[in-house]
Amino acid sequence: MFSSVAFRQLKKSPISVLKQTKNFASTMEGFETLSVTIPKPFVYQVELNRPKRLNTMNRAMWFEIGKCFDDLATRDDCRSIILTGSGKLFSAGIDLQDMIELGGQLAEQEDIARKCKILEQMIKNYQDYISALERCPKPVIAAVHNACIGGAVDLIVAADIRMCSSDAWFQVKEAEIGMAADVGTLQRLPRVIGNQSLVNELCLTSRKMEPIEAKDCGLVSKVFDSRDSLVAGALELAENIASKSPVAVQLTKRTLVHARNNNTQDGLDFIRYWNMTMLQSEDFINAAMAQATKSPPPTFAKL
């Protein structure tokens, strides 16, 4: 039977929910390099917002990506997230001006150990900021239009679902600028596309990957005709996910992420220990009852 909490949620109209989530969104303002909006109830849109700089990833953007997704991880008005880029392309990757400034900072140190400490901490921070997408229990849908280069590839492979427009292209750029990718691409891309030979080719040559190839190899799941149709498609998918039980969705994501880094038995143990609690949730009872009685899907309480 429906619980009292579920009945209270059913009384709320989509408009009242949207007004409530907009109030929550006001506390997400203040980012310099990101735009955060709520285009649908329970759906957040995080947009890279340095269009005049081709959405290149400077220190502020790296930090704000980490902070934004860590914040969204705990917001009960957020159930799914789409990640987009403003302007004419998704992102041209790392801001090389930052690298020039880093060179000046390193030049102030004469000892190699002290230079290494600066670099190690910077790389660790950037790794943690990107991993915030993976840590976030809310599904993240990356919607890529035009160029997605270098650090932007690190970013999207940490997302759960990737889509692109027909003008998109992808490039693991690091080898071409004299470095190895160090914030996630070399670790996540092999798992994303499952073809080690192709990963090696892309990462060792820095060649571009076009959208047809990206879909064929599994980097993206859908290709759209334009940026507008891409964002519309991503929003439709995010809204679909947001309509499901947040208990079910968030535990499903946690389990999928855990399974990527552990063997099958560890994964089975993981979900068993979680579900011995979560199967007692009202979400499971209400959703199962709706299916059994062919009733409309229930409205789920915030989580």
Side-chain angles (χ1 to χ4, degrees), residues 29-43:
E29 296 174 356
F31 291 117
E32 295 179 9
T33 67
L34 304 177
S35 171
V36 183
T37 56
I38 305 177
K40 302 282 185 180
F42 298 111
V43 177

Side-chain angles (χ1 to χ4, degrees), residues 141-142 160-164 214-215 218-224 237:
I141 303 166
D160 303 290
I161 298 168
R162 287 160 297 279
M163 302 173 165
C164 72
K215 185 174 186 299
L219 178 60
V220 301
S221 53
K222 288 185 179 179
V223 178
F224 293 84
L237 177 58

Side-chain angles (χ1 to χ4, degrees), residues 106 109-120:
L106 293 175
Q109 303 291 334
E110 294 184 2
D111 181 62
I112 189 171
R114 286 156 180 81
K115 292 181 180 183
C116 287
K117 181 179 179 182
I118 293 171
L119 286 169
E120 192 274 338

Side-chain angles (χ1 to χ4, degrees), residues 1-300:
M1 296 180 68
F2 284 103
S3 69
S4 60
V5 174
F7 273 121
R8 287 198 299 271
Q9 288 295 317
L10 285 169
K11 292 178 182 177
K12 295 182 179 180
S13 69
I15 293 176
S16 68
V17 172
L18 184 56
K19 286 180 179 177
Q20 192 173 15
T21 55
K22 282 182 177 178
N23 291 335
F24 277 101
S26 64
T27 61
M28 296 292 291
E29 296 174 356
F31 291 117
E32 295 179 9
T33 67
L34 304 177
S35 171
V36 183
T37 56
I38 305 177
K40 302 282 185 180
F42 298 111
V43 177
Y44 273 72
Q45 180 172 355
V46 178
E47 187 157 81
L48 309 182
N49 193 32
R50 300 184 74 210
K52 293 181 180 179
R53 297 285 298 170
L54 303 180
N55 294 325
T56 49
M57 302 167 72
N58 62 358
R59 290 187 185 186
M61 180 179 284
W62 288 97
F63 171 78
E64 289 183 355
I65 287 170
K67 185 178 189 309
C68 178
F69 282 91
D70 281 342
D71 285 351
L72 291 176
T74 63
R75 287 181 174 270
D76 62 7
D77 67 315
C78 175
R79 295 185 181 176
S80 59
I81 305 163
I82 68 168
L83 174 64
T84 58
S86 63
K88 67 180 184 180
L89 53 80
F90 181 77
S91 173
I94 196 165
D95 190 333
L96 294 179
Q97 183 60 41
D98 271 14
M99 294 298 97
I100 294 172
E101 293 174 5
L102 174 63
Q105 186 180 0
L106 293 175
E108 295 174 1
Q109 303 291 334
E110 294 184 2
D111 181 62
I112 189 171
R114 286 156 180 81
K115 292 181 180 183
C116 287
K117 181 179 179 182
I118 293 171
L119 286 169
E120 192 274 338
Q121 188 60 63
M122 182 196 75
I123 296 169
K124 176 66 166 61
N125 287 342
Y126 285 13
Q127 290 173 342
D128 288 346
Y129 300 151
I130 293 295
S131 292
L133 278 69
E134 197 170 74
R135 288 194 302 271
C136 179
K138 312 340 174 21
V140 180
I141 303 166
V144 178
H145 74 289
N146 207 295
C148 178
I149 303 170
V153 177
D154 291 301
L155 182 62
I156 67 163
V157 294
D160 303 290
I161 298 168
R162 287 160 297 279
M163 302 173 165
C164 72
S165 58
S166 58
D167 65 348
W169 52 275
F170 307 84
Q171 185 179 22
V172 184
K173 182 81 169 177
E174 284 81 355
E176 200 165 83
I177 61 172
M179 63 174 288
D182 56 9
V183 291
T185 290
L186 302 185
Q187 292 70 36
R188 294 187 175 101
L189 187 59
R191 297 188 181 106
V192 166
I193 68 176
N195 184 331
Q196 189 65 54
S197 178
L198 179 57
V199 170
N200 293 348
E201 178 191 341
L202 293 170
C203 296
L204 295 171
T205 66
S206 295
R207 77 164 175 84
K208 297 178 181 179
M209 174 183 277
E210 303 292 337
I212 299 284
E213 185 182 11
K215 185 174 186 299
D216 287 345
C217 77
L219 178 60
V220 301
S221 53
K222 288 185 179 179
V223 178
F224 293 84
D225 290 336
S226 66
R227 183 186 185 279
D228 288 345
S229 61
L230 165 66
V231 174
L235 280 173
E236 182 180 2
L237 177 58
E239 190 174 21
N240 183 317
I241 293 170
S243 72
K244 306 294 191 291
S245 159
V247 174
V249 168
Q250 292 177 37
L251 182 54
T252 296
K253 173 170 176 174
R254 289 182 189 276
T255 305
L256 289 170
V257 171
H258 180 272
R260 287 204 298 268
N261 301 315
N262 294 273
N263 63 42
T264 301
Q265 188 57 54
D266 286 343
L268 291 169
D269 293 342
F270 180 87
I271 187 59
R272 184 173 72 253
Y273 291 131
W274 269 97
N275 259 359
M276 69 184 185
T277 302
M278 295 305 180
L279 288 179
Q280 300 177 64
S281 165
E282 66 180 19
D283 288 22
F284 173 66
I285 297 168
N286 292 344
M289 284 291 294
Q291 286 283 316
T293 60
K294 301 189 184 324
S295 302
T299 299
F300 298 101

